[in-house]
């Protein structure tokens, strides 16, 4: 059995903002959920309650949204990709090649979706992506090109390739002039949040009546976090939860941007949290993150590994990115300054926390890095 995660350090890579819970935005499209429920392999992923974690952290209840099996794949990415490809194909005639850059799960989701809809896929992967992830993308029938550079370099190369005739870039980050398709990907993630609402509503007690007090989300370029902010900040009334983002210390572009008050790029290093190894926030996501996130924290690879082991002990399969929210919660609620951070997040002994575990374990035979 693994010990509970405990990562005290000083200073902690952390930033907190006031006023986020009062900010409001427009909701995601109501058509997304209906589209997903019509897909052949659709089923809501589990929302697992872990009383042991609630006891560890002195809160009322802790739930983990387990995305280790989503539409036949070991991560949540297929939700965004499938909706975006559906929208793209409604506007084109004839076959196309769907192009993207990826650290693993997004590319595999695009390859699977392209095959489902009878299209070709070309996926670019940066250095450091696990060979197992590359093999899984190839097994879906996609052409794969390995780039000797960072994720940002792979994105740039993918955009160049997608300029060819009969090619379309389906990227989960945005920049000026490329925001519509990333916006559809973000919309696709809204199904995950809607499921959390329904699953909490089916539970006994105040969690079902009022929803979570804190939602913890892993961040790469910020697209999933944008979807989470949109979902919880578009409600016209009722209590809004605190939202905490978590990313690797070696690629903490969102934390650095929030600290400076403007989007900035950072130089990334190697990390086992490959899907979060991104150096620049999405331009589409940034306004939502800046206005709607209550706090951001960065964690180490060792933090994520210990969190994944703790989740495995409790019966939840989670990879390094998926375990990052537990690592971030542990970092926020333990060590020097924990009382202040707990107060900033509005947490008390009856609080309800939801952790978004976005991928299955790399040790899971059905999963990939």
């Amino acid at each position: 059995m693994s010990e509970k995660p405990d990562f005290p350090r000083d200073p902690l890579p952390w930033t907190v903002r006031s006023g986020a819970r009062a900010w409001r935005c427009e909701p995601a499209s109501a058509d997304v959920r209906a589209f997903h429920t019509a897909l052949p392999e659709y089923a809501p992923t589990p929302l697992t309650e872990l009383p042991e974690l609630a006891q560890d952290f002195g809160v009322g209840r802790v739930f983990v949204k387990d995305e280790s099996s989503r539409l036949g794949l070991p991560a949540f990415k297929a939700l965004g990709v499938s909706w975006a490809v559906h929208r793209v194909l409604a506007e084109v005639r004839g076959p196309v090649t769907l192009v993207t850059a990826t650290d693993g799960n997004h590319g595999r989701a695009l390859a699977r979706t392209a095959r489902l809809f009878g299209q070709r896929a070309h996926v670019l992967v940066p250095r450091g992506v696990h060979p197992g992830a590359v093999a899984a993308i190839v097994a879906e029938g996609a052409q794969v090109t390995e780039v000797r550079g960072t994720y940002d370099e792979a994105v740039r190369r993918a955009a160049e390739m997608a300029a060819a005739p009969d090619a379309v870039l389906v990227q989960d980050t945005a920049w000026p002039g490329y925001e519509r398709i990333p916006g559809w990907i973000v919309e696709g993630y809204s199904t995950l949040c809607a499921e959390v609402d329904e699953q909490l509503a089916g539970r006994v007690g105040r969690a079902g009546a009022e929803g979570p007090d804190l939602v913890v989300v892993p961040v790469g370029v910020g697209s999933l976090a944008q979807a989470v902010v949109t979902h919880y900040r578009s409600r016209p009334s009722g209590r809004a939860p605190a939202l905490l983002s978590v990313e690797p210390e070696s690629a903490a572009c969102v934390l650095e941007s929030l600290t400076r008050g403007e989007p900035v790029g950072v130089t990334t290093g190697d990390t086992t949290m490959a899907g979060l190894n991104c150096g620049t926030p999405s331009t589409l996501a940034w306004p939502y993150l800046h206005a709607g996130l209550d706090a951001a924290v960065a964690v180490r690879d060792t933090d994520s590994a210990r969190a994944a082991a703790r989740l495995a002990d409790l019966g939840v399969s989670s990879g390094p990115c998926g375990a990052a929210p537990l690592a971030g919660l542990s970092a926020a609620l333990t060590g020097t300054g924990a009382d202040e951070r707990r107060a900033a997040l509005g947490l008390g002994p009856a609080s309800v926390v939801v952790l978004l575990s976005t991928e299955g374990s790399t040790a899971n035979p059905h999963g990939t890095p």
Side-chain angles (χ1 to χ4, degrees):
M1 295 289 287
S2 298
E3 298 177 356
K4 70 179 182 181
D6 184 18
F7 317 119
R9 80 190 95 157
D10 188 18
L12 179 74
W14 159 272
T15 189
V16 64
R17 303 177 61 258
S18 61
R21 272 161 271 184
W23 184 72
R24 292 294 179 268
C25 61
E26 293 298 314
S29 169
D31 297 332
V32 177
R33 187 73 189 283
F35 166 77
H36 283 140
T37 57
L39 293 176
E41 294 191 70
Y42 174 77
T45 55
L47 185 70
T48 303
E49 183 168 9
L50 298 177
E52 298 89 346
L53 295 184
Q55 183 177 6
D56 288 349
F57 299 118
V59 296
R61 306 175 78 174
V62 174
F63 296 87
V64 176
K65 183 63 169 167
D66 179 359
E67 292 290 308
S68 60
S69 181
R70 170 66 78 175
L71 293 171
L73 294 174
F76 76 104
K77 293 284 190 176
L79 289 173
V81 168
S82 60
W83 174 248
V85 170
H86 166 71
R87 296 294 303 269
V88 166
L89 295 181
E91 297 184 353
V92 300
R93 293 183 178 180
V96 295
T97 298
L98 304 171
V99 182
T100 199
T102 186
D103 280 314
N105 288 317
H106 171 76
R108 186 178 179 188
L110 183 71
R112 172 71 66 89
T113 302
R115 184 157 57 88
L116 177 65
F117 287 103
Q119 307 297 324
R120 299 180 299 274
H122 189 168
V123 178
L124 283 74
V125 297
R127 67 167 186 262
V129 174
H130 194 285
V134 176
I137 297 169
V138 172
E140 299 290 350
Q143 179 182 351
V144 174
T145 297
E146 298 189 43
V147 175
R148 292 185 178 180
T150 65
Y151 171 81
D152 286 353
E153 173 64 14
V155 170
R156 187 187 67 78
R157 292 276 304 278
E160 291 175 351
M161 288 186 177
D166 301 323
V168 178
L169 183 68
V170 183
Q171 197 61 56
D172 55 348
T173 188
W175 54 86
Y178 183 75
E179 294 184 330
R180 192 167 66 139
I181 291 175
W184 289 337
I185 290 175
V186 171
E187 284 184 343
Y189 297 152
S190 65
T191 290
L192 186 157
C193 299
E195 290 176 2
V196 170
D197 282 351
E198 293 171 1
Q199 290 165 323
L200 282 180
R203 306 296 177 98
V204 177
R206 69 181 293 277
E210 300 182 33
D213 296 288
L214 172 67
V215 179
V216 190
V217 55
V219 170
V221 298
S223 295
L224 176 60
Q226 179 188 347
V228 171
V229 169
T230 299
H231 181 78
Y232 289 106
R233 302 299 187 238
S234 62
R235 296 176 173 181
S237 61
R239 179 172 51 81
L243 304 177
L244 170 65
S245 70
V246 185
E247 55 199 325
E249 284 190 358
S250 59
C253 63
V254 170
L255 188 152
E256 184 66 20
S257 297
L258 291 173
T259 300
R260 297 192 186 187
E262 61 181 0
V264 296
V266 301
T267 301
T268 61
D270 294 331
T271 174
T272 57
M273 293 173 273
L276 309 182
N277 194 19
C278 306
T280 308
S282 166
T283 59
L284 189 66
W286 168 248
Y288 292 83
L289 307 183
H290 184 246
L293 283 176
D294 292 85
V297 67
V299 298
R300 303 165 297 201
D301 285 358
T302 51
D303 302 342
S304 174
R306 292 180 63 188
R310 176 66 168 159
L311 289 171
D313 287 344
L314 298 175
V316 176
S317 171
S318 187
C321 298
L326 175 55
L329 183 69
S330 298
L333 300 189
T334 62
T336 304
D339 290 344
E340 291 83 357
R341 292 190 293 271
R342 185 182 295 264
L345 295 171
L347 297 182
S351 295
V352 175
V353 177
V354 173
L355 308 176
L356 302 184
S357 178
T358 51
E359 65 174 2
S361 170
T362 57
N364 178 352
H366 302 292
T368 61

